C-alpha cells in the first residue's frame, strides 16, 4: 500500500512534464497509474479475505509512537475498488473532454491523480493521525480542482466555500480523533474499534460520546449533509470529470466511509443514531425536493447526490448487519450510476454547449448510444430492475422494514415512511433528468449535437455495463461485503445480514418499491402541478444564503475587532500582550495560593559578581528607556544582552555565554545598519498618564515573571531529565559538550525546525528589501565606486552611466592588494586605514576560528551556531572595512544558495540513516586512526552541525546584503542624473584612460569636490 501511494504521488509530481510533450493524451498515461493499482488490488483479494487483511507499517518516530500504518480489510478493499476503478476511467475520459489548447492541464491532471492517491490513503489508513492527514489532503485538492477555472468568479467562490465548510468540519473531527486516541491509549483504528465497547461504558464515556459527535460532524460536512449540503451544488462549477469523481464516486464518500468504519464499534453511542438517522433522512428529502426544481441537468444530479448521500448515511450508520450489507451495496451502485450520469452530462455539455433542460431537445435522436447509457444509469438510480440500484435498494428497504417493525416502535415506522418518500423523489428526479436531457420538447428547436467519438463514450459505457452486471449477478458483490456485515453480527439481538439478490420473492420491500415507482411516476407526469406547488413554498431556510450571511457577519465582526485592536501603535500592542502575559499567570498564582519554596536567595553567595552584572543590566535597561537617540537605545539594549551573557559565564555555561555574545554583536550590527533609514531621534514618545500606565505594565510583567520562575522551579516533583543529559551526550551522542550534543543529536528535530525558521526569516528580510530579486550577487562589473557617492560629484552621482561603470571596473581590476581592493571604492572620509589593516589581520583568523568552533563544538564550547555567527562577524568586518563591493568580493556565493545548502545538508544527515536501517537523525560514532592525527573519533551528527553552520552564515550574509549593501545602493541612487553630453564625455574618457591614471583622476575629482550638489 505504501508503494502504491508512493508511485501515485510520484506520478502526480511529474505529471506536468508529461503534459508538456503529450498534451491532453497525457491523461492516458496518468490513467495507467490507478489502473495498475486496481489490478494489484484485485490480485490481493485472497490475502484480504483469508484473515485479518493486509498490514503495512513503517515506523516513523517510535519514541512518540508515530508510524505510517495502513491496513487493507474488506471495507477498505471495496472502497478502493471504487476509488481506483472509477478514477482510472475518469482520467481516460479527460483525454477527450479537454482540448489541447486548454490551459493548466498539467496541474489539473496532477491534482486529480494526487486526489486518487489521497483517497486511497484515507481508506487504508490504520492510524487516526494519518487518516486525518489524507482527509485534509482531499480537502485541499478538491479546493484546487473545483477552482480549476480561476478566471471565473463562481468557480473561485465555490472552491473557497467548499474549502471553508469541509475544513471547519475537519478541525472538529481532528479534536474528536485526538480524544478517541487518548481515551483508548492508541491511535490505531483497528485497536480502537476493538476497545469500543469498553470505551462507551468506561469512566471516559462522556468524552468518548463527545468525540464520536465531533467525528460525525466532520463526516457530515464532507458528505454534504444538512445543514452543510449547500456546498456540493455550488461545487458543480468544477469541470464535469471532477464532479463525476470527487462529488459522486470519491470525495463525498469519505464521510460515508468514516461512518461505515466507526459504526461496528460506536453505533451504540448515545448520540449516534439521532445524528445519523435524523440528518440523513432530512438530507435525503431536502435534496430530492430541490432536485425537482432545477433546470440545469448537472444541478439535478448534484442535488440528487445530496439526497443519495443522506440515504447512504442512514443505511451504513444504522449499525445492523443487514443495513451494513445493504449500505455498502448501495455505495457501490451509487458510485457506478452517478459517475456515469455526470460523465454523460459532460458529453452533452461538450457536444451541444448547454445543460439547460429548457434548451435541450431531441438529443436522444442525435445520439442513441449516449441515451441508452444514460437511461441505464438513471434507471439504476431510480431503483429499476434488473440493475444495481434495484438490488441495493431492495436490501435497504428490507433492512429498514426489519428496523421499523422491531423494537423501535413508531419511530422506526416514521423513518421507513421518510425513506419511501425520499425514494419517490429519487424516481421523480431520475425521470426528470432523462426527460430534460434527451426528450423532444414541444416548441423547442432540436439541439445541435456533434457526433460522439467512441473513446469519449467509453468510460460512461463501461460504468453503465457494470451496473447491469452487478444487478443481474450480485453474488460477487455480496461475497465482498459479507465479512464487513459480519462485524455487526454479535450479541443476542443480532439479525441475519441476508444476501444481495435480484429476486427475494414477494416481500414488503418489493411492495414499497412498487409504491415508489407508481408515486414517482405520478410526480413526474404531474411535474407542472408539482412545480406550481413548489413555487408556492417560500424559501424560509436556504443553506447557501445562511452561509453567506454567516461569512458576512464574521467579516463585520473581524472589521470591528481589527479596528479596535490593530491601531498601528506599537505601544498599544505591547500593552495588550504584556498585560495578558502577566495577568493570567498572576491570577493562577493567586488562586493556587501556594507558599514560596524554600532556599530562595537574592544573590548567589558563591558569585557576588552577579550583583554587579545585575546592576549593569538594570542600568542598561533604564538607559534604553530614557534614551532619545535610536543608536543609544540599541546600544543600551545590547548592554543588557552582554550582561546576561556574562551571567551565563558566571553560572558555568560557557557555551551559552559564547553564543549570546556572538548573537548580541551581530544583532547590534543589524540594528545599526537598519537605523540608517530611520530618523536619528526618537520623537514619537508617549507621556503623561500613558507613560505611567506603561511603567506599571512593565514593572508588573517583570515582577510576575520573577515569581512565575520561582514557583515553577519550586514545583518540580520529579527528577530533572537534564541530569541524564551528560551521560546521554557521551554514550549516545559521543560528545562531552552537553549543549551541542543536545542540539544536534538528542533534540535534532527541534534544531532542524529552528534553522528552518532562520532560513524563512532570512527570506522574509530579503523579501522586504528586494522587490524583484534577492540581490544575492552585487557584480563589481556593474558597481559604482562608493567614493563617488561620498563626494556626490556631478559625474559620479549617476550609478547607471557607462562612465562610472568603467571607473568601478578599473578599480576592481587592479591586481595589487587584490583581496581588499574594493575598499578603495569608499570615499576618503569613510575609509579607515587602521580598520582596513586590522581587517587584513583578523579576517582569515576569524574564519579559521569559526571552523575550529564548528569542529570542536562536540566536546568543547562551540558548535555550528557559534561557528556560523563567528564567520558572519568576519563578513561583517569585511563589509564595514570595504563597503558593499568588498562584501561581494568576500562572499561570491549567494545567501540563498548557502541557506538551501545548509538545510539540505542537515536534512540529508537525518534521512540517510533511514536507508541504512536506522531512524531519522540517528547518529553513528566512527573511530579510526589517521597519520599525524592519531586516533580520531568522528560522530556523524557533525554533518548536521555543518548544515547549521552554513545556514547561520547564509543568514548573516543575507542580513548584510539586505540591510547593508541594498540600502547603500539605495542611497547612491538618490543623486541627480547626468546629462547626456556629460555621460558621453565621461564614457569616452574612461575608455581611453589607463587603469592607474583613471583611478588617480577619479580620486582627484572626488577630493576637489567639483560639481558637488
Amino acid at each position: 500500500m505504501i508503494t502504491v501511494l508512493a508511485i501515485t504521488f510520484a506520478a502526480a509530481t511529474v505529471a506536468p512534464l508529461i503534459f508538456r510533450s503529450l498534451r491532453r493524451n497525457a491523461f492516458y498515461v496518468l490513467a495507467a497509474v490507478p489502473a495498475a493499482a486496481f489490478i494489484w488490488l484485485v490480485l490481493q483479494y485472497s490475502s484480504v479475505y483469508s484473515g485479518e487483511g493486509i498490514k503495512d507499517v513503517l515506523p516513523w518516530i517510535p519514541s512518540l509512537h508515530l508510524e505510517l500504518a495502513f491496513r487493507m480489510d474488506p471495507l477498505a478493499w471495496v472502497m478502493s475498488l471504487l476509488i481506483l476503478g472509477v478514477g482510472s476511467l475518469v482520467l481516460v475520459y479527460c483525454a477527450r473532454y479537454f482540448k489541447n489548447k486548454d490551459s493548466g492541464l498539467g496541474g489539473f491532471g496532477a491534482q486529480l491523480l494526487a486526489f486518487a492517491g489521497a483517497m486511497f490513503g484515507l481508506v487504508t489508513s490504520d492510524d487516526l493521525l494519518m487518516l486525518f492527514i489524507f482527509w485534509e489532503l482531499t480537502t485541499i485538492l478538491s479546493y484546487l480542482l473545483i477552482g480549476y477555472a480561476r478566471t471565473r468568479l463562481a468557480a473561485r467562490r465555490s472552491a473557497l466555500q467548499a474549502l471553508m465548510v469541509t475544513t471547519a468540519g475537519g478541525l472538529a473531527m481532528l479534536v474528536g480523533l485526538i480524544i478517541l486516541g487518548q481515551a483508548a491509549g492508541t491511535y490505531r483504528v483497528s485497536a480502537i474499534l476493538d476497545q469500543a465497547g469498553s470505551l462507551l461504558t468506561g469512566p471516559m464515556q462522556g468524552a468518548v460520546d463527545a468525540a464520536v459527535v465531533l467525528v460525525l460532524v466532520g463526516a457530515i460536512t464532507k458528505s454534504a449533509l444538512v445543514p452543510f449540503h449547500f456546498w456540493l451544488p455550488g461545487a458543480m462549477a468544477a469541470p464535469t470529470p471532477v464532479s463525476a469523481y470527487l462529488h459522486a464516486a470519491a470525495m463525498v464518500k469519505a464521510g460515508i466511509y468514516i461512518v461505515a468504519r466507526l459504526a461496528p464499534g460506536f453505533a451504540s453511542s448515545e448520540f449516534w443514531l439521532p445524528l445519523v438517522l435524523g440528518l440523513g433522512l432530512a438530507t435525503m428529502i431536502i435534496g430530492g425536493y430541490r432536485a425537482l426544481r432545477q433546470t440545469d441537468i448537472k444541478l439535478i444530479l448534484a442535488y440528487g447526490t445530496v439526497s443519495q448521500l443522506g440515504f447512504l448515511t442512514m443505511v451504513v450508520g444504522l449499525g445492523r448487519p443487514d443495513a451494513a450489507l445493504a449500505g455498502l451495496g448501495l455505495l457501490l451502485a451509487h458510485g457506478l450510476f452517478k459517475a456515469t450520469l455526470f460523465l454523460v452530462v459532460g458529453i452533452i455539455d461538450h457536444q451541444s454547449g448547454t445543460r439547460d433542460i429548457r434548451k435541450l431537445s431531441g438529443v436522444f435522436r442525435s445520439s442513441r448510444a449516449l441515451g441508452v447509457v444514460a437511461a441505464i444509469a438513471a434507471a439504476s438510480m431510480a431503483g429499476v430492475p434488473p440493475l444495481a440500484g434495484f438490488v441495493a435498494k431492495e436490501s435497504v428497504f428490507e433492512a429498514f422494514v426489519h428496523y421499523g417493525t422491531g423494537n423501535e416502535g413508531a419511530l422506526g415506522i416514521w423513518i421507513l415512511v421518510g425513506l419511501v418518500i425520499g425514494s419517490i423523489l429519487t424516481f421523480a428526479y431520475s425521470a426528470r433528468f432523462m426527460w430534460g436531457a434527451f426528450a423532444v420538447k414541444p416548441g423547442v428547436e432540436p439541439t445541435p449535437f456533434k457526433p460522439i467519438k467512441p473513446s469519449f463514450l467509453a468510460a460512461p459505457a463501461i460504468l453503465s455495463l457494470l451496473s447491469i452486471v452487478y444487478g443481474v449477478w450480485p453474488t460477487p458483490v455480496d461475497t465482498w461485503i459479507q465479512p464487513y456485515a459480519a462485524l455487526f453480527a454479535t450479541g443476542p439481538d443480532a439479525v441475519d445480514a441476508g444476501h444481495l439478490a435480484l429476486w427475494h420473492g414477494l416481500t414488503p420491500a418489493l411492495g414499497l418499491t412498487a409504491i415508489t415507482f407508481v408515486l414517482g411516476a405520478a410526480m413526474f407526469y404531474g411535474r407542472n402541478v408539482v412545480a406550481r406547488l413548489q413555487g408556492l413554498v417560500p424559501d424560509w431556510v436556504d443553506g447557501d444564503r445562511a452561509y453567506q450571511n454567516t461569512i458576512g457577519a464574521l467579516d463585520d465582526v473581524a472589521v470591528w475587532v481589527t479596528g479596535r485592536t490593530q491601531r498601528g501603535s506599537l505601544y498599544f500592542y505591547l500593552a495588550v500582550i504584556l498585560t495578558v502575559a502577566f495577568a493570567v499567570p498572576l491570577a493562577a498564582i493567586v488562586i493556587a495560593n501556594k507558599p514560596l519554596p524554600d532556599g530562595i536567595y537574592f544573590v548567589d553567595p558563591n558569585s557576588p559578581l552577579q550583583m554587579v552584572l545585575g546592576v549593569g543590566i538594570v542600568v542598561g535597561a533604564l538607559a534604553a528607556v530614557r534614551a532619545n537617540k535610536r543608536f543609544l537605545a540599541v546600544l543600551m539594549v545590547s548592554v543588557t544582552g552582554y550582561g546576561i551573557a556574562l551571567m551565563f559565564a558566571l553560572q558555568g555555561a560557557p557555551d551559552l555565554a559564547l553564543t549570546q555574545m556572538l548573537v548580541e554583536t551581530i544583532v547590534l550590527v543589524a540594528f545599526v545598519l537598519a537605523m540608517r533609514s530611520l530618523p536619528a531621534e526618537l520623537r514619537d514618545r508617549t507621556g503623561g498618564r500613558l507613560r505611567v500606565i506603561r511603567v506599571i505594565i512593565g514593572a508588573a510583567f517583570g515582577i510576575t515573571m520573577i515569581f512565575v520562575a520561582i514557583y515553577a522551579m519550586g514545583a518540580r516533583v520529579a527528577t530533572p531529565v537534564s541530569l541524564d543529559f551528560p551521560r546521554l551526550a557521551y554514550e549516545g551522542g559521543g560528545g562531552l559538550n552537553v549543549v551541542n550534543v543536545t542540539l544536534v543529536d538528542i533534540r535534532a528535530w527541534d534544531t532542524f525546525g529552528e534553522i528552518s525558521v532562520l532560513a524563512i526569516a532570512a527570506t522574509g528580510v530579503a523579501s522586504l528589501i528586494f522587490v524583484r530579486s534577492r540581490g544575492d550577487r552585487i557584480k563589481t562589473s556593474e558597481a559604482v565606486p562608493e567614493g563617488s557617492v561620498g563626494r556626490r560629484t556631478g559625474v559620479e552621482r549617476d550609478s547607471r552611466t557607462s562612465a562610472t561603470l568603467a571607473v568601478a571596473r578599473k578599480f576592481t581590476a587592479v591586481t595589487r592588494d587584490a583581496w581588499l581592493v574594493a575598499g578603495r571604492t569608499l570615499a576618503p572620509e569613510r575609509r579607515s586605514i587602521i580598520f582596513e589593516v586590522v581587517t587584513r589581520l583578523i579576517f582569515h583568523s576569524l574564519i579559521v576560528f569559526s571552523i575550529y568552533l564548528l569542529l570542536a563544538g562536540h566536546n568543547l564550547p562551540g558548535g555550528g551556531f557559534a561557528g556560523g555567527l563567528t564567520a558572519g562577524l568576519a563578513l561583517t568586518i569585511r563589509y564595514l572595512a570595504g563597503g558593499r563591493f568588498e562584501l561581494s568580493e568576500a562572499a561570491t556565493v549567494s545567501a540563498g544558495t548557502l541557506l538551501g545548502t545548509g538545510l539540505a545538508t542537515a536534512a540529508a544527515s537525518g534521512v540517510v540513516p533511514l536507508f541504512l536501517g536506522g531512524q531519522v537523525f540517528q547518529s553513528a560514532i566512527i573511530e579510526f586512526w589517521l597519520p599525524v592525527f592519531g586516533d580520531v573519533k568522528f560522530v556523524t551528527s557533525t554533518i548536521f552541525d555543518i548544515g547549521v553552520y552554513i545556514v547561520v552564515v547564509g543568514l548573516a550574509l543575507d542580513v548584510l546584503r539586505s540591510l547593508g549593501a541594498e540600502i547603500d545602493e539605495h542611497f547612491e541612487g538618490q543623486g541627480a542624473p547626468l546629462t547626456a553630453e556629460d555621460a558621453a564625455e565621461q564614457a569616452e574618457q574612461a575608455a581611453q584612460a589607463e587603469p592607474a591614471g583613471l583611478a588617480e583622476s577619479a580620486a582627484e575629482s572626488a577630493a576637489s569636490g567639483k560639481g558637488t550638489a
Side-chain angles (χ1 to χ4, degrees), residues 280 284 307-315 330 393 396 419 423:
M284 184 180 184
S307 178
Q308 293 287 305
L309 289 172
F311 192 18
L312 281 166
T313 302
M314 293 177 65
V315 185
L330 183 62
K393 192 169 290 187
V396 173
L419 208 65
S423 299

Side-chain angles (χ1 to χ4, degrees), residues 742-743 746-757 921 944:
T742 300
L743 291 175
I746 300 176
R747 302 187 63 181
W749 276 105
D750 290 349
T751 306
F752 186 77
E754 291 167 5
I755 62 175
S756 300
V757 171
F921 288 121
F944 180 87

